[in-house]
Amino acid sequence: RPGEDFAARLSARAGRMSASAIRELLKLTQRPEIISFAGGLPAPELFPLDAIRAAANAVLDRHGPAAVQYGTTEGHLPLREWIAAQTPGLTPGHVQIVTGSQQGLDLLGKILIDEGDVVLVEAPTYLGALQSFQPYGPRYVELPTDEHGIDVDALEDVLKTHPAKLLYAIPNFQNPTGRTLSLERRRRLVELTAQYGVMVLEDDPYGKLRFTGEALPSLFTLGLERVGGDPERNHVLYSGSFSKTLVPGLRDAWVQGPHLIIEKLVQAKQGADLHTPIFNQMIITELVGEVLPRQIEIVKRAYGERAQHMVGRLREHFPAGVQFTEPEGGMFLWVTLPQGLDTTELFPRALERGVAYVPGRPFFALGGGANTMRLSYSSATPEQIERGVRALAETFREAMG
Ligand SMILES: Cc1ncc(COP(=O)(O)O)c(CN[C@@H](CCCC(=O)O)C(=O)O)c1O
């Protein structure tokens, strides 16, 4: 009936949902005259389109109708075999293909989080994870972070007072801060969570995009080591993605963990989408051998140059009192303005000057961060970085008086 109050029909779970600031911004920053430091968009000019075209043809030649038939929920076995082979002791049965790691976050929220469960998250953390977990009614407890990532002393204090279900962390080139969790803190985080019986979800879409410094072992690997390499007893789950190393639009990612978790994830996925597009999985499988390692080198170099360029411009143009991180990899850096300034309020003024960013507030589970913002350098040219940083600096100067 016209004007029926549909809002009253929504579930309590639907009532907990809200829009993604990044997704909403993406619509806005598609305008060509805007220099966007907002969405974490991989550089489109680097996509290996010729290799993808050849792979698509090879898939159809090799698999024929099976390439566009229903596939298994677990995912294309040769792809799961390749993923499992990257970690000693892992078998394809420990690997679940998901439709982007974003779906992995949602399905893991569904099978792990009961209403009121304590979920430990970094302050700030990836807003997409907060969006995925929120409908399942977690009670967030924030973990303070500094230039070396999560403050593990604070973590120990939290664990003593809050029986937690899950700790969600992005140890490499964190979204949104660009920071990397130090080795010493990785070891202590894995030890403390094991001691207190807290599962860890390591979200690592950027791990391969290190352009400076030494590679560090994943939390998953450290978790495996403490249980003699047995994937059945590792309390750390790992989420990986091909979005930032190959292309995001094929929506191919995976979760690795103990059989019981994977089995439950399969059941949750059966109810969600039956399976990730099999054609896409077969294309990715064609690319992981030669194209992927080559692409990682190309992307690392390009993002390293863009990060270095942006940091150089920030140093040159930003007013004193504005702080920013200097990432060792990934796609983002984090800006902190003097207390009292509000990046959500400043956003329209920056936009008038032709530049967009993601205000920091949505990255904090429990509010805060009004004076922060995330900048992505991955899909901006050197000229756009120069112009965009100048526009931001002018916006800040005007606001700082
Ligand atoms: C820590 C972390 N975990 C999962 C994801 C989702 O990546 P995929 O679903 O694997 O493409 C991402 C991708 N986040 C990007 C892309 C968001 C894409 C968008 O909403 O337009 C961003 O923060 O801008 C991430 O940073």
Side-chain angles (χ1 to χ4, degrees):
R1 292 187 300 280
E4 173 152 356
D5 176 15
F6 293 114
R9 307 293 178 128
L10 292 175
S11 67
R13 185 171 305 114
R16 294 192 199 105
M17 295 176 184
S18 57
S20 154
I22 297 174
R23 297 262 85 198
E24 295 311 303
L25 277 174
L26 205 66
K27 297 174 199 162
L28 177 100
T29 55
Q30 303 289 37
R31 283 161 39 187
E33 77 280 8
I34 297 292
I35 295 173
S36 174
F37 298 145
L41 299 184
E45 75 279 6
L46 301 179
F47 291 162
L49 295 187
D50 291 339
I52 291 169
R53 183 179 297 109
N57 287 322
V59 161
L60 288 171
D61 292 346
R62 179 168 313 137
H63 300 284
V68 286
Q69 176 59 280
Y70 282 119
T72 65
T73 305
E74 289 79 353
H76 188 44
L77 182 58
L79 181 55
R80 289 190 290 133
E81 284 171 342
W82 181 85
I83 292 168
Q86 309 310 305
T87 305
L90 223 53
T91 73
H94 295 114
V95 177
Q96 169 65 44
I97 303 296
V98 287
T99 307
S101 45
Q102 193 68 41
Q103 185 186 62
L105 294 171
D106 177 54
L107 296 180
L108 284 167
K110 188 178 280 184
I111 68 170
L112 292 175
I113 301 172
D114 281 322
E115 197 167 332
D117 277 350
V118 170
V119 174
L120 307 177
V121 294
E122 297 163 285
T125 189
Y126 171 49
L127 56 82
L130 300 177
Q131 183 173 26
S132 290
F133 297 158
Q134 188 55 41
Y136 304 111
R139 195 180 131 222
Y140 289 121
V141 173
E142 287 187 322
L143 299 171
T145 60
D146 60 26
E147 65 276 15
H148 301 297
I150 293 172
D151 173 346
V152 285
D153 293 330
L155 170 61
E156 185 160 23
D157 294 343
V158 164
L159 290 174
K160 282 174 183 157
T161 51
H162 297 76
K165 170 67 78 72
L166 180 69
L167 186 157
Y168 170 72
I170 308 160
N172 293 314
F173 328 125
Q174 199 242 18
N175 184 354
T177 65
R179 289 172 176 145
T180 294
L181 186 60
S182 69
L183 178 58
E184 192 249 334
R185 291 186 176 188
R186 291 179 190 225
R187 294 195 190 287
R188 280 199 62 208
L189 182 148
V190 168
E191 222 26 68
L192 283 167
T193 48
Q195 189 184 328
Y196 284 87
V198 181
M199 290 194 78
V200 177
L201 172 51
E202 174 175 29
D203 190 1
D204 189 29
Y206 307 104
K208 291 283 187 293
L209 302 183
R210 171 175 286 278
F211 33 79
T212 184
E214 293 304 308
L216 298 173
S218 65
L219 302 176
F220 186 84
T221 301
L222 296 174
L224 263 184
E225 282 172 5
R226 63 181 306 283
V227 289
D230 178 2
E232 292 310 303
R233 293 171 46 229
N234 183 6
H235 72 295
V236 180
L237 303 176
Y238 180 94
S239 168
S241 175
F242 292 103
S243 288
K244 320 299 182 184
T245 49
L246 280 172
V247 289
L250 292 180
R251 308 307 297 127
D252 264 45
W254 73 93
V255 174
Q256 53 195 57
H259 276 126
L260 183 102
I261 297 288
I262 298 299
E263 275 158 25
K264 209 32 95 177
L265 212 44
V266 169
Q267 292 165 20
K269 187 169 169 67
Q270 285 169 349
D273 68 357
L274 292 184
H275 67 80
T276 293
I278 183 68
F279 189 43
N280 297 9
Q281 294 183 63
M282 289 176 169
I283 290 174
I284 294 285
T285 307
E286 293 287 322
L287 299 175
V288 290
E290 282 90 41
V291 176
L292 177 60
R294 223 175 36 232
Q295 190 64 15
I296 286 171
E297 290 314 307
I298 292 168
V299 170
K300 274 168 49 166
R301 191 176 324 110
Y303 291 3
E305 287 165 3
R306 293 173 197 191
Q308 199 176 10
H309 189 58
M310 181 174 272
V311 169
R313 301 292 68 69
L314 299 181
R315 283 200 192 112
E316 185 182 346
H317 296 301
F318 271 9
V322 176
Q323 297 164 326
F324 50 87
T325 59
E326 300 185 25
E328 295 179 314
M331 300 166 66
F332 310 112
L333 60 83
W334 184 245
V335 179
T336 305
L337 299 182
Q339 286 295 341
L341 289 175
D342 185 322
T343 54
T344 304
E345 280 171 17
L346 287 180
F347 186 80
R349 285 149 68 177
L351 210 58
E352 278 160 28
R353 287 187 165 86
V355 64
Y357 55 82
V358 189
R361 199 197 299 262
F363 293 98
F364 288 85
L366 302 178
N371 61 326
T372 61
M373 70 172 65
R374 185 190 82 175
L375 300 183
S376 173
Y377 43 78
S378 53
S379 51
T381 65
E383 190 274 331
Q384 287 171 330
I385 289 174
E386 171 74 38
R387 259 188 317 121
V389 169
R390 279 177 186 272
L392 282 176
E394 284 160 25
T395 308
F396 298 165
R397 280 204 178 78
E398 182 190 59
M400 291 162 77

